[in-house]
Amino acid sequence: MERRANNLTLRTSLSIYRKLLILFGFAIFSVLKVSAQKKELDAGIKYTINSITVTGAQTFNENTVLAFAGLKKGDEIYIPGEKLSSVTKKLWEQSLFSDIAFYVTNIEGNLVDLELYIVELPKLNEITIDGVRKGQVKEIIKDNNLKQGVKITKNLITTTKNHIINKYRDRGFYNTKVIVTTIPTKDSAGVEMAQNMRILIDKGKRVKVKSITFDDNEQLKDKKLRGFMKNVKRKNPIRFWKKSKYSDALFAEDKASLIQKYQENGYRDARIVKDTLTVINEKNIALKLQIEEGKKYYFGDIRFIGNSIYTDAFLKQYLAIAKGDTYNGTLLQKRIADNSDPDAADLTNLYQNEGYLFSQINPVEVAVRQDTIDFEIRIKENKLTYFDHVTVVGNDKTNDRVIYRELRTRPGQKYSKRNVIRTIRELGQLGYFDAEQLSPNFKNLDPNNGTLDLEYSVVEKGASQIELQGGYGGGGFVGTLGLSFNNFSLQNIFNKEAWKPLPMGDGQKLSLRAQASTFYQTYSISIIEPWLGGRKPVQFSTSFSHTIQYLYNFQTRERDKDRRFLITGGSVGIAKRLKWPDDYFQLSQAISFQHYNLENYNTGLFTFGNGYSNNLAYTIGIGRNSTSANPIYPRFGSDFSLSAKLTLPYSAFNGVDYKGLFNERNDLEDILQSNPSDGERVDAQERISEIDQTRFNWLEYYKIKFQATWYTPIVGDLILRPKAEFGFLGAYNNYRGIPPFERFFLGGDGLGSFSLDGREVIQLRGYPNQSLSSQDGNTIYNKFSLELRYPVTLKQLASIYVLTFVEGGAAFDGFRNYNPFDLKRSAGAGIRIFMPAFGLLGIDFGYGFDPVIGGTTKNGWETHFIIGQQF
């Protein structure tokens, strides 16, 4: 029977019991373990393997093991020697065995018989986790890769245990305990096949921080220091939005934040000497930090070295840090290179926006004089850099020219970081690509020649949308079919090969919409060409619509086709991107015309049942949109617009005495209020109808609207969106008056459905639709809203974000009644889902704090469905 020993004889064994010995000794020699026999091994002789066998293996085939080890009969080896050491190391690295040993079983001359003895690591059979919920069990198994068949090692057990402890400590369970045990499973012959693992988790109670105190802090008080700690907070029942919990990782972040805040206040040498965690009980701990503040420092002389493009005086002004200012290392670094804002006004961007891509700017402390620190800003400008090649990849549908006309970077131009960022924004605003996956890739950077290649990588998304709705409302069934093609190609409409399934790729927008119910039909078409002529960003738009409404009896649910109201209209517009004050500004102009034709259509809306009105208007607007690349979920920037819609002042030149008509109409109204006879009533009503036909045959008004929206990042992707709106409808001639068209209706979801009189429906959630305006609408409104948004996902297939809001607004008739602070208030929450095929969908739950028009109690909760509105 074989026996391991420490002296060399005829029967010799070579064994390596522990992996640690291999790590330290395999490069020099193999540890030889031998049994007592008649002959001794000679370290200087090269032996030939006569035979080699594998023992101890349970699941591995002998030939497979030998092939992997690289040993076979006839190989020449030294014993001990490098070959056996490397084979042993190679086998250990597989993490499949708990023991590996070589035995010399016989020696005849220079022929040697070897035995490779291996012990396999046990495999995981079943796992049981107790102490946590089922969902957390799956999470633990996934995080630690505890799959059936995985090899059970000491490292696996240790890392699993530590992972679980740290996981629950980060969630506030500081006293978490974990016990991991394994139980062998055997077959019918008693041979061990695998092992079952059981993990027992005792999370204990969630630990909260009862107190956070500081020692030796004189300049910054305890309250201020606790405010700097954003993660670990004391218990406070009033602070419901931030629960008190403790974890080592969060505490480490807060300690680093404390030191940073000290340094921002001039205490460059501040440090935390000691921190102590005291366990009060199983639910509470106390934290104590000992601070060494050091003395307060100030900026001294700041010299610029190596600059030739800009003067010292200009760079000092741009840096905006003066001698004598309180030392702030964080501020200094941001003024040189602010990594949190790619378009920041820092020195690095100053150089890179002028073509110096390879410039290097480093601040260096050169002297510390008592409490004053002198700096040198060392600048290595390097060569001016130019774009060599600029390409776009990933556009399969969109034509190259549609993309290249939006690029702010051209071959041969000097490099500008600002232009690269602006190009990404413009490509994202097109709406043809996934804004979250737009990326500029720098290639072939050559500092010696001052060149680089730039590749824009785009991922196309669906640019067409379909609107298909059906429902019951307004006294009957309402069906809507709408198609919107946002990357259409008009020039390929008659090209059969381009219909795949539609002619796309030229960046034009074609919208078709039809809506019908029991008593009305509406049809519309619009076309937008964003680059008229293809040379400059001049947008051309045109639209046409036609509506037919029949007189409808809501009691009998019958329509009368002989009594109808027709509206036919269209518009033509031009919008031009400006260069001053900057190229975010756009000037737009449009001419629109609507013809209202009433045929035996007597209702309360109009006093003339057989007549017409014409609405010819000129609209001019100026806007500035500097929001970020993703139009669905802007993260920063602003969007302002101011517009004026004007008709001709017909009363100034048409010779009609509107003052006389005004007085006559008032007299007729007095007659109707004075209990007249039937004949007098009919005569008065007919004359009022004639007067109103004269007043409104050509509509005369002016309409001013203003909107302002800001997007501000709070933390990460959490975005605050304030918005303000104002609208005013006025008349040139007070005797002619404001027409019953184009008015503002406030309240509800903002969906206008169908409207015959050009009304504008203003969203104010928390109230029923149009419930905050009079029956005939209002001439003035203002609205203020505040939204807090957070994205759930911004993937190509669907972008989803949740929001909370507070808003207030009001509508008035004339400036005499106008009070911008007399608001109808509401608050609530909602969700938005944008899918390329269907556009924007959403739902809001709003609570109205004030009564509606004619009400006496607060309105309460309202549910609003959002379809296709602006983001």
Side-chain angles (χ1 to χ4, degrees), residues 487-490 492-495 498-506:
N487 191 7
F488 199 69
S489 176
L490 289 173
N492 287 316
I493 286 182
F494 302 106
N495 182 0
W499 288 78
K500 300 178 181 178
L502 294 167
M504 305 291 285
D506 282 347

Side-chain angles (χ1 to χ4, degrees), residues 642-657:
L642 175 65
S643 66
K645 188 174 183 180
L646 314 167
T647 65
L648 290 172
Y650 301 105
S651 60
F653 55 78
N654 64 5
V656 177
D657 182 10

Side-chain angles (χ1 to χ4, degrees), residues 5-45:
N6 290 323
N7 56 316
L8 294 173
T9 59
L10 177 62
R11 187 171 181 82
T12 309
S13 68
L14 174 63
S15 175
I16 302 178
Y17 275 97
R18 304 184 185 280
K19 192 174 181 180
L20 184 60
L21 296 178
I22 289 297
L23 296 176
F24 287 99
F26 74 87
I28 304 174
F29 62 89
S30 298
V31 177
L32 297 178
K33 297 186 177 182
V34 300
S35 300
Q37 296 292 338
K38 297 179 180 179
K39 295 183 179 180
E40 294 184 354
L41 285 169
D42 189 336
I45 295 178

Side-chain angles (χ1 to χ4, degrees), residues 23 130 149 178 355 447 522 595 605 622 823 857:
L23 296 176
D130 297 324
V178 178
T522 299
H595 176 70
L605 183 62
I622 188 167
L823 303 175
T857 60

